[in-house]
Amino acid sequence: MCQLVSPEGDHLGAALYLPQNVGPSQLQEIVNHLLHNEDKLPYAFYIGDEELSIQLGAYMQQKNANVEVTLRIVCQPQAVFRIRPVNRCSATIAGHTEAVLAVSFSPDGRCLASGSGDTTVRFWDLNTQTPLFTCKGHKNWVLCFAWSPDGNHLVSGSKSGELILWDPKIGKQLGTPLTGHRKWITAVSWEPVHLQAPCRRFVSASKDGDARIWDITTRKCIIALTGHTNSVTCVKWGGDGLIYTGSEDCLIKVWETSQGKLIKTLQGHGHWVNSLALSTEYVLRTGAYDHTGKTYSTAEEMKEAALTRYKKMRGNAPERLVSGSDDFTMFLWEPTISKQPKARMTGHQKLVNHVYFSPDGQWLASASFDKSVKLWNGITGKFVAAFRGHVADVYQISWSADSRLLLSGSKDSTLKVWDIRTRKLKQDLPGHADEVYAVDWSPDGEKVASGGKDRVVKLWMN
Amino acid sequence: MPQGDHIELHQKRHGRRLDYDERKRKREAREVHRRSKEAQKLLGAKGKRFAKKRYAEKAQLKKTLKMHDESTSRQKIDDDVQEGALPPYLLDRDQTQRAKVLSNTIKQKRKEKAGKWDVPLPKVRPVAEEEMFKVLRTGKRKTKQWKRMVTKATFVGPGFTRKPPKYERFIRPTGLRFTKAHVTHPELKCTFNLDIISVKKNPNGPMYTSLGVMTKGTIIEVCQGFHLCMKVLVLQHAANTNNETFSFYGMPLKVHHILCMLLSH
């Protein structure tokens, strides 16, 4: 006697009597039929947080489950496409003369950009794996940058507190640097494309304690979000038009964007908030582009496509926010609902440096300086598995677009690919000569880019 | 220099010349030219004195100018680009961890170094002093017996100079001083003739180590040549390195081999 349940908790049809030799594939067919899906979408099934991989009968015997009780089977939709794990370094591109501090693929996965301590932003051609443009203009290290979700702009922030807007297609600076911050820029985040297309606004966070919203068409700072008493370490522009900022004063503030008013302050952490993650972050980053590789000609088309993607991703649940902190714990919040955290995730033995939701929002991964990467349930915040293998601090993580593989880059100069289903190390990618500071998996899943202290950008492929 | 106030009195009684102010102004204007002429023309001691004074004045002037140039409105951030770029999540963190790791590795290496010379030797029989040293009688009546002569092989090093004979207590005869050692590799079973660099440790005590006496069980350093293959296991240590990176190719050789095939000069 089984009851199929969706991840949010809705029942998919009535309770069914299922024979013992029913396995995951048959369950998939049933679910597809119940949901009236036209294409056969893959699903993963979980009974009590454990994945069901064998036949029901065998499972019941293993667990000595009571046959009388209705068995709840949670069906999680999986990505239709499957990403192959990367296992070789296809190119080592030198060019930067100082450590590479940030790498990122464009939302459609066609371009790659990297920022470095030699004050340049470089664009790399993925087909030939050679440098494309070298953009000079910053006065100090390029600390962080962000692609606009429509792929038309790139804004980079530097250690001298200025932001420069670049056109990725020609590699030229657009206008003068945007000044306003008094200390270095810690994070940049664009407004989602489904809220406004073409992309106009972005928010930048700085060590001086405020976050500023800029408009690229007027090239001015529209609003300054002040309130934090210490450096703002991370900022994210949420899908429903709220801005979340995490700071070294242990608070997370939620702002609204039309006037820059503070809506909520989320308190709870005991030390610096290092990193924020939103459950819809991947969709916001990639905008209208998905694995089909479709391009859009007009901004309205893009906006609509992005909106549908966003709605599908979010469903009915509110946006979830996770914050990782120096106090070794993470909090799961639902900021639109309440000020109190939904769950507290403890377990790390050193500070949590980076948290990232999987693209489908089901999982949450956290990288910590205790050399481990931990996997948590993205909805409830329950601990699922710990990935151990690195021998030094894990700096950054990145998900593959189908949420089946997780990539982590660490101080020990290796990258490791972890399989979510088996919860084990899938591939070890050594090759860097020194610490790996930034990793990114392209949204089309083909390539992985990593950069670090050894001043080269490495591209990894299957 | 007027001694007395008669000049002042005259000025008060009769006033100054009518063109006094103009003459004063003109004289002061010529002052610059006069100083410049002096600076160029003065020679000898006078010139030196003048130059020194002028230099001090110039330095002071520059300081005051710089002080006046300072303003309260400054550039926001320093423009210099530093080395060692860090990503933003590491910027606020000081790398004391790294320093700690480094100091730990140094401590580890030091410990290793201390233990490096602990060769798994067979228990060395302690050499008695009568065997090691021969008593030398000195003095006019040959009654003083404070001098000793070493009877075993020694190594003194290239820059060795004897202490004044009146004060040297331990004599190392030149006949027993050796510079090269025949070193046998236990596995390869080949012998090399290598220069000795120093005597590292004599198990009989630090006094023997300082004398450079080589007895059974002494650990010595030898110089490895270039043409030797990497697999040769010799304790190699450049004698003048300050850093702690040794190239240690494996276990040290059994030192008693050195005594077996003794030594050429």
Side-chain angles (χ1 to χ4, degrees):
Chain A
M1 180 77 175
C2 300
Q3 173 67 56
L4 294 163
V5 181
S6 80
E8 279 91 42
D10 325 315
H11 295 262
L12 303 168
L16 307 164
Y17 274 110
L18 293 171
Q20 283 207 349
N21 58 357
V22 161
S25 43
Q26 286 93 355
L27 280 174
Q28 237 176 36
E29 284 184 31
I30 299 174
V31 173
N32 275 315
H33 183 72
L34 280 174
L35 291 176
H36 306 289
N37 292 331
E38 279 153 16
D39 344 300
K40 298 277 180 219
L41 296 174
Y43 283 88
F45 299 96
Y46 293 85
I47 303 180
D49 291 336
E50 234 186 70
E51 190 169 352
L52 175 65
S53 41
I54 47 181
Q55 290 185 349
L56 263 184
Y59 178 80
M60 304 278 274
Q61 277 197 345
Q62 256 183 14
K63 298 283 166 185
N64 296 328
N66 194 346
V67 194
E68 309 286 324
V69 180
T70 311
L71 203 61
R72 265 173 73 95
I73 307 181
V74 181
C75 330
Q76 272 192 13
Q78 301 245 286
V80 177
F81 54 102
R82 172 163 236 124
I83 306 263
R84 290 177 298 176
V86 294
N87 54 15
R88 64 185 178 93
C89 178
S90 70
T92 302
I93 324 175
H96 280 296
T97 51
E98 274 286 325
V100 178
L101 301 178
V103 273
S104 183
F105 282 96
S106 68
D108 52 5
R110 299 232 175 92
C111 312
L112 173 65
S114 65
S116 145
D118 64 357
T119 75
T120 58
V121 172
R122 285 172 204 247
F123 290 92
W124 311 91
D125 183 9
L126 288 174
N127 298 325
T128 57
Q129 297 174 354
T130 50
L132 200 54
F133 301 117
T134 302
C135 306
K136 300 194 178 136
H138 275 294
K139 292 208 190 77
N140 214 324
W141 310 341
V142 177
L143 285 177
C144 55
F145 65 90
W147 287 88
S148 70
D150 58 1
N152 291 335
H153 299 283
L154 186 132
V155 70
S156 55
S158 86
K159 189 152 187 285
S160 50
E162 52 183 26
L163 294 139
I164 297 188
L165 202 59
W166 309 93
D167 184 342
K169 299 191 181 50
I170 52 173
K172 289 268 182 302
Q173 185 174 347
L174 294 170
T176 55
L178 304 165
T179 50
H181 280 296
R182 291 183 302 283
K183 289 205 190 148
W184 67 74
I185 311 286
T186 50
V188 184
S189 176
W190 283 84
E191 183 173 22
V193 72
H194 68 258
L195 291 175
Q196 188 176 56
C199 297
R200 270 185 71 164
R201 301 194 294 173
F202 66 90
V203 63
S204 65
S206 158
K207 165 115 174 102
D208 58 7
D210 41 57
R212 281 169 193 259
I213 306 182
W214 308 80
D215 187 327
I216 60 174
T217 43
T218 62
R219 240 177 281 283
K220 276 210 181 69
C221 168
I222 315 176
I223 306 166
L225 311 168
T226 52
H228 282 295
T229 53
N230 211 332
S231 155
V232 182
T233 49
C234 46
V235 68
K236 288 273 177 320
W237 201 312
D240 22 353
L242 296 171
I243 295 184
Y244 306 94
T245 54
S247 154
E248 278 176 11
D249 59 4
C250 322
L251 303 172
I252 303 165
K253 290 192 194 265
V254 185
W255 313 80
E256 61 94 30
T257 52
S258 55
Q259 296 203 348
K261 287 217 186 94
L262 174 66
I263 302 181
K264 274 197 187 100
T265 303
L266 305 174
Q267 218 173 6
H269 276 299
H271 209 302
W272 301 351
V273 177
N274 283 329
S275 164
L276 289 176
L278 285 171
S279 54
T280 50
E281 192 173 338
Y282 200 80
V283 173
L284 298 177
R285 176 206 163 175
T286 47
Y289 301 102
D290 59 1
H291 65 279
T292 55
K294 191 163 171 247
T295 50
Y296 302 93
S297 41
T298 64
E300 282 77 30
E301 259 188 56
M302 215 186 263
K303 188 171 173 180
E304 279 184 33
L307 191 58
T308 40
R309 272 193 87 206
Y310 174 68
K311 284 219 172 95
K312 196 172 127 191
M313 170 74 213
R314 214 183 110 166
N316 297 326
E319 225 173 19
R320 295 183 301 277
L321 171 75
V322 161
S323 57
S325 157
D326 255 25
D327 64 0
F328 310 172
T329 65
M330 299 178 291
F331 277 111
L332 176 69
W333 316 83
E334 264 167 9
T336 41
I337 295 186
S338 119
K339 250 193 207 185
Q340 299 303 321
K342 206 169 149 212
R344 184 166 203 178
M345 296 175 264
T346 58
H348 275 298
Q349 278 135 354
K350 280 220 186 116
L351 62 97
V352 179
N353 198 39
H354 194 203
V355 289
Y356 209 144
F357 265 98
S358 70
D360 58 3
Q362 309 290 348
W363 308 103
L364 169 68
S366 61
S368 157
F369 279 15
D370 67 356
K371 310 172 201 166
S372 73
V373 175
K374 287 199 198 267
L375 186 69
W376 314 80
N377 185 317
I379 303 172
T380 57
K382 253 185 77 183
F383 173 72
V384 172
F387 297 118
R388 285 182 206 285
H390 280 296
V391 294
D393 308 346
V394 187
Y395 281 154
Q396 300 275 63
I397 43 185
S398 180
W399 284 89
S400 71
D402 64 348
S403 314
R404 290 196 185 101
L405 298 166
L406 171 65
L407 173 76
S408 60
S410 148
K411 190 174 168 183
D412 65 1
S413 76
T414 62
L415 290 96
K416 292 199 194 317
V417 180
W418 311 92
D419 189 329
I420 298 303
R421 215 180 56 83
T422 59
R423 320 242 172 103
K424 288 221 172 56
L425 176 68
K426 186 89 183 211
Q427 189 74 32
D428 185 21
L429 303 170
H432 271 288
D434 212 336
E435 307 180 14
V436 177
Y437 284 150
V439 294
D440 195 23
W441 207 313
S442 78
D444 58 6
E446 294 280 308
K447 296 187 172 56
V448 165
S450 62
K453 205 163 164 204
D454 56 355
R455 305 189 293 270
V456 295
V457 172
K458 276 189 188 279
L459 277 173
W460 310 80
M461 281 175 57
N462 192 298
Chain B
M1 300 292 318
Q3 295 188 359
D5 55 354
H6 59 280
I7 295 182
E8 275 178 45
L9 277 176
H10 180 277
Q11 279 175 355
K12 281 179 190 161
R13 283 182 194 140
H14 308 288
R16 292 186 193 252
R17 280 174 72 147
L18 294 167
D19 50 2
Y20 171 76
D21 293 310
E22 191 178 328
R23 291 180 78 214
K24 188 167 180 193
R25 178 183 63 82
K26 290 190 80 152
R27 193 184 309 127
E28 275 162 13
R30 283 193 298 270
E31 196 63 39
V32 181
H33 295 282
R34 224 194 69 188
R35 285 206 86 207
S36 158
K37 187 171 150 202
E38 270 179 23
Q40 287 171 37
K41 292 238 170 191
L42 277 179
L43 295 173
K46 268 192 206 168
K48 277 190 182 172
R49 257 182 278 135
F50 185 87
K52 189 171 176 188
K53 214 164 151 200
R54 197 166 161 85
Y55 180 77
E57 277 170 21
K58 228 180 186 176
Q60 191 58 39
L61 187 69
K62 273 191 171 171
K63 276 188 199 160
T64 32
L65 282 177
K66 198 167 173 193
M67 210 169 64
H68 287 284
D69 266 343
E70 278 182 1
S71 63
T72 47
S73 65
R74 298 204 151 280
Q75 278 265 305
K76 279 172 269 168
I77 283 117
D78 277 317
D79 282 337
D80 51 340
V81 182
Q82 288 159 329
E83 291 245 327
L86 290 173
Y89 50 84
L90 290 179
L91 270 176
D92 273 335
R93 305 188 186 282
D94 49 341
Q95 297 290 315
T96 46
Q97 287 180 336
R98 205 186 182 115
K100 206 193 271 182
V101 167
L102 276 176
S103 83
N104 280 344
T105 43
I106 290 171
K107 284 184 197 160
Q108 182 76 15
K109 282 205 173 119
R110 245 185 247 146
K111 253 193 269 175
E112 263 178 65
K113 187 166 86 150
K116 237 181 216 189
W117 312 107
D118 299 337
V119 181
L121 292 169
K123 292 291 171 221
V124 177
R125 184 179 61 88
V127 182
E129 225 185 270
E130 301 89 41
E131 200 187 321
M132 188 74 88
F133 299 121
K134 185 177 142 180
V135 178
L136 282 180
R137 285 172 167 268
T138 52
K140 198 172 184 183
R141 312 272 178 261
K142 298 281 188 279
T143 46
K144 294 180 178 221
Q145 289 185 22
W146 55 274
K147 279 189 174 228
R148 299 281 180 277
M149 188 176 79
V150 176
T151 56
K152 305 275 179 191
T154 59
F155 172 76
V156 290
F160 173 71
T161 320
R162 284 172 59 187
K163 278 174 79 171
K166 186 169 178 180
Y167 300 108
E168 73 180 335
R169 188 158 165 211
F170 294 102
I171 297 176
R172 283 164 277 189
T174 51
L176 287 176
R177 291 187 205 159
F178 292 101
T179 49
K180 287 179 180 259
H182 298 295
V183 172
T184 314
H185 191 284
E187 274 125 36
L188 295 178
K189 300 263 186 283
C190 50
T191 313
F192 306 102
N193 193 2
L194 303 173
D195 289 314
I196 306 175
I197 298 177
S198 74
V199 171
K200 255 306 188 270
K201 200 163 170 59
N202 192 310
N204 297 315
M207 184 178 74
Y208 297 103
T209 312
S210 63
L211 282 177
V213 167
M214 294 185 284
T215 57
K216 188 168 183 173
T218 315
I219 303 174
I220 64 173
E221 282 174 57
V222 285
C223 169
Q224 188 194 33
F226 299 106
H227 55 278
L228 292 176
C229 62
M230 289 291 284
K231 288 224 35 185
V232 171
L233 304 171
V234 179
L235 274 172
Q236 176 196 313
H237 173 48
N240 53 0
T241 48
N242 290 330
N243 54 15
E244 313 237 320
T245 51
F246 303 127
S247 9
F248 179 72
Y249 289 113
M251 58 163 223
L253 299 170
K254 299 264 163 137
V255 175
H256 60 262
H257 283 181
I258 294 187
L259 284 181
C260 292
M261 19 231 99
L262 248 238
L263 306 170
S264 54
H265 294 256

